Amino acid sequence: MDLRIMTEPQQGATYDTQLTMAKVAEELGFSAWFRSDHYLTMSGDGMPGPTDAWVTLAGLARETSTIRLGTMVTAGTFRLPGVLAIQVAQVDQMSGGRVELGLGAGWFEAEHRAYGIPFPSARHARLSEQLEIVTGLWSTPVGETYGFDGTYYQLKDSPALPKPAQSPVPVIIGGLGPVRTPALAAKYAHEFNVPFASAEDTAAQFGRVRDAAAGRELVYSAAVATCVGKNDAEVARRAAAIGREVDELKANGAAGTPEEAAAKLRQYAEAGATRVYLQILDMTDLEHLNLIASEVRPLLG
């Protein structure tokens, strides 16, 4: 199983905190470091305040060397699709081809109000056009132009530059929507992710996407809240540090001793996930990463 680290910097993390964590994740051999794309905390005061996902990833692109970098997921409401295509392509060049784009419709209305960002209706329909535009710009041959005449976006005679270092940049789509989400994944995604759901619900959604994909190969992944300790006291300390209850984390995430966490992750493997994003909420607890790398990962084969 491919283990990746996923973080929530809107809960309060400076760029330096994120850089330190990403470098440690790289040193420990995790395949990727991903972050959410939010501008408002979900709970608490969120000090010292939000950081921008793609500004952060641009910095990390120059200060790491092997670990893959991406968003889980970028909100389609935050950036015009043409601008997003330029940003991701540039960061991919800066990283030497290590970027992946998770893209979603956007859902957290409060953060839009807080920062004056429009929160439009028909966000899922907009997402479909955004995916068409971003992937269309990247795939347009150099020297040719790209155009798009949609309901929500229009592009005319775009030079479709710059190009990313990778061809293609992996696109990640996720969610539990039973019809529209699998259809979008089947058309545009290289990876499909189910976030924070039970192994049973994850398996059911993977099945819907496979049916929609009709033989097209995708990577199937899950995002799982993670809280591991060498013993019960350490698990309780880590749970308290992120404001969660141990029993709730064990029920809904990969929590407990290394053996307990590995057993839960094997359930997701049995559901069809070949990749798991371990949501680590305390970004300063770097020993947590070391414990997962040294004592959980070997139990997964």
Side-chain angles (χ1 to χ4, degrees), residues 283-299:
M283 298 180 64
T284 64
D285 185 1
L286 302 178
E287 181 54 36
H288 194 192
L289 299 188
N290 186 67
L291 178 65
I292 294 167
S294 63
E295 299 195 28
V296 177
R297 188 165 57 195
L299 297 176

Side-chain angles (χ1 to χ4, degrees), residues 54-279:
W54 286 101
V55 171
T56 298
L57 294 176
L60 297 182
R62 306 303 286 181
E63 298 194 77
T64 59
S65 58
T66 59
I67 197 164
R68 296 189 69 79
L69 303 165
T71 50
M72 189 63 75
V73 294
T74 286
T77 49
F78 287 173
R79 298 164 180 88
L80 295 170
V83 174
L84 180 62
I86 292 170
Q87 290 173 318
V88 177
Q90 183 176 1
V91 177
D92 194 51
Q93 289 182 1
M94 294 166 70
S95 72
R98 292 184 285 123
V99 160
E100 302 182 15
L101 172 63
L103 186 59
W107 63 272
F108 191 20
E109 186 174 3
E111 67 187 332
H112 294 75
R113 291 196 304 267
Y115 287 96
I117 303 167
F119 189 68
S121 59
R123 289 183 301 281
H124 202 278
R126 290 173 182 270
L127 176 61
S128 179
E129 292 195 6
Q130 291 159 357
L131 287 161
E132 176 69 32
I133 291 165
V134 170
T135 58
L137 286 166
W138 289 340
S139 62
T140 298
V142 174
E144 297 184 15
T145 60
Y146 175 81
F148 182 81
D149 186 15
T151 301
Y152 306 101
Y153 304 100
Q154 294 80 39
L155 286 74
K156 183 177 181 181
D157 297 331
S158 173
L161 295 172
K163 299 301 184 194
Q166 300 174 90
S167 182
V169 171
V171 172
I172 304 166
I173 295 173
L176 286 164
V179 178
R180 294 184 298 178
T181 297
L184 282 182
K187 186 173 182 180
Y188 295 107
H190 302 90
E191 177 179 335
F192 183 77
N193 178 267
V194 175
F196 313 116
S198 68
E200 294 77 12
D201 288 345
T202 297
Q205 184 69 339
F206 284 169
R208 297 184 192 102
V209 174
R210 287 193 185 93
D211 289 344
R216 182 169 172 264
E217 292 296 323
L218 282 75
V219 173
Y220 290 89
S221 66
V224 182
T226 304
C227 181
V228 185
K230 294 179 181 179
N231 51 50
D232 289 345
E234 192 167 273
V235 175
R237 175 177 63 79
R238 288 200 163 105
I242 60 174
R244 301 280 287 272
E245 297 292 331
V246 172
D247 289 345
E248 178 268 322
L249 283 166
K250 286 186 176 183
N252 299 310
T257 63
E259 292 77 11
E260 288 176 304
K264 178 60 74 72
L265 293 175
R266 282 193 290 271
Q267 293 180 19
Y268 286 95
E270 292 167 1
T274 59
R275 175 177 292 162
V276 171
Y277 293 81
L278 304 174
Q279 185 197 44

